[in-house]
Amino acid sequence: MSSSDPNAAGLPARAAALDILQAALSGRAGIEGALAQPQLKALEPRDRGFARALAMATLRHLGPIDAALQAKLNRAPPERVVNILRLGAAQLFVLKTPPHAAVGATVDLSPPSFKGLVNAVLRGLTREPPDLADPDRLAPPWLYARWGAAFGEAEARAVAATIAQEPPTDLSLKDPAQGGALAAELEAQVLPGGTLRTERGGDLTGWPQFEAGSWWVQDASAAVPVRLLGLEPGQTALDMCAAPGGKTLQLAAAGAITTAVDRSGARLTRVVENLARTGLAAEVVEADAATWADPRTFDAVLLDAPCSATGTFRRHPDVLWVASPKDVASLAAVQARLLDSAARRVKPGGRLVYCVCSLEPEEGEAQAEGFLARTPGFALEPMTAGEGGAPEASLKADGTLRILPHHRPGGTDGFYIARFRRAA
């Protein structure tokens, strides 16, 4: 077996992929928590890479895989067996593993009493290959219907089509003046706004300039909100709900006197580590940003609010399958409280940027409208086309941004962004 062949991975790698898939779909810690499991870290790097690739391929094509399996099953087997079948289908039709290897390895992974069923179902699929690229099936029906209602059918199909795509890696730079040199070192393109985008693979801690702290991983869409604050060096900035810290690093790199607040001490550890690696400085505070008692006001306040995260499915495809309509409603109430808290912390004449990595209007447009209706002294400050490196197609008539995943070639996270100015 060639060690460079991802399909040469054996049973331990497939068992790890099963663990990742089950943990991701359980909704407890999502794909990030699933990938941090000890049994995965114990694998050889090749097997670890295969386990991750197989789990992610399955999650990105889960809708059409499930539709194909349901057509072959008279009744649903136990959830673990369903997940084994899902992995088998992904090997066959996404990773293009030779059928004898994919079916054989998946049968080996199965409980004894279900080996015959798994063998029969997967062999049946090889005779009638499913269409795994059908946008109508890539998203859960309830989400697809919401996107159609919010953006129109054509846009909903375009959003859904990006679910199956493996994303490149986007990087934000400590010093934008280094963009050209770093792009050459990292084999990257420079996107509008200064984000670098690379197709490089492997462990990014070994990439050029990682140890030097010259860059950090941050989706191109996630880098837009800080740029819209228009900070000058020496101004004060507050990053509410700051972890994992990409926007805090941006604020500090822009020369702002930065305070980062988050309620999770564990997640703030990553913020502190990234500040140390990049040599940037910020005050880090563990507190609930909605009830934080600090009386200070700031020139610029950024609120990247907790949300359903449906816009992040390119790297976290599990969010599509663990989110529910009731999550959207409960998070909308949290967002409103945080916006009211943010408003109190903006200096007269200062700016407030509100954003969510959600595609759901209740978490975006409705929040901006509700905030303006109940908060005298604040007005929308419209953006211009392309401002902050945002795709021009994302600008709405009112000057807010609704970034959809297909608005940037190669894909981008879905975001809603609104900018407000407090009266002087």
Side-chain angles (χ1 to χ4, degrees), residues 317-330:
D318 53 304
V319 301
L320 299 172
W321 304 100
V322 299
S324 73
K326 67 177 187 295
D327 295 335
V328 175
S330 62

Side-chain angles (χ1 to χ4, degrees), residues 18-85:
L18 179 60
D19 289 341
I20 294 169
L21 184 62
Q22 298 201 142
L25 292 176
S26 72
R28 288 192 298 274
I31 197 69
E32 295 292 340
L35 291 170
Q37 293 187 82
Q39 61 267 40
L40 187 65
K41 292 183 175 178
L43 292 174
E44 292 291 319
R46 182 199 68 184
D47 284 355
R48 190 162 60 242
F50 175 81
R52 183 188 185 281
L54 175 53
M56 294 297 277
T58 306
L59 287 164
R60 290 196 175 107
H61 300 85
L62 196 64
I65 284 174
D66 278 1
L69 291 175
Q70 284 161 12
K72 298 289 182 190
L73 292 165
N74 293 325
R75 59 182 180 188
E79 189 67 14
R80 182 177 178 84
V81 176
V82 172
N83 283 328
I84 289 169
L85 284 165

Side-chain angles (χ1 to χ4, degrees), residues 113-147:
S113 58
F114 286 95
K115 288 184 186 293
L117 173 74
V118 169
N119 182 63
V121 169
L122 293 181
R123 291 198 181 281
L125 288 180
T126 63
R127 291 190 291 272
E128 299 174 64
D131 175 11
L132 296 194
D134 182 357
D136 293 347
R137 293 181 184 248
L138 283 166
W142 73 274
L143 270 177
Y144 189 87
R146 288 173 63 88
W147 299 344

Side-chain angles (χ1 to χ4, degrees), residues 40 271 331:
L40 187 65
V271 180
L331 285 162

Side-chain angles (χ1 to χ4, degrees), residues 125-220:
L125 288 180
T126 63
R127 291 190 291 272
E128 299 174 64
D131 175 11
L132 296 194
D134 182 357
D136 293 347
R137 293 181 184 248
L138 283 166
W142 73 274
L143 270 177
Y144 189 87
R146 288 173 63 88
W147 299 344
F151 314 125
E153 182 65 21
E155 293 284 72
R157 279 182 66 82
V159 169
T162 64
I163 293 170
Q165 299 169 9
E166 187 168 349
T169 300
D170 293 344
L171 309 173
S172 289
L173 306 186
K174 179 179 174 181
D175 178 6
Q178 286 190 294
L182 282 170
E185 279 195 86
L186 291 158
E187 306 157 83
Q189 65 175 130
V190 184
L191 301 182
T195 290
L196 296 192
R197 172 163 286 187
T198 178
E199 302 284 351
R200 281 179 81 106
D203 182 0
L204 58 83
T205 61
W207 290 7
Q209 301 293 324
F210 175 84
E211 291 293 344
S214 300
W215 52 264
W216 56 93
V217 175
Q218 186 177 31
D219 188 84

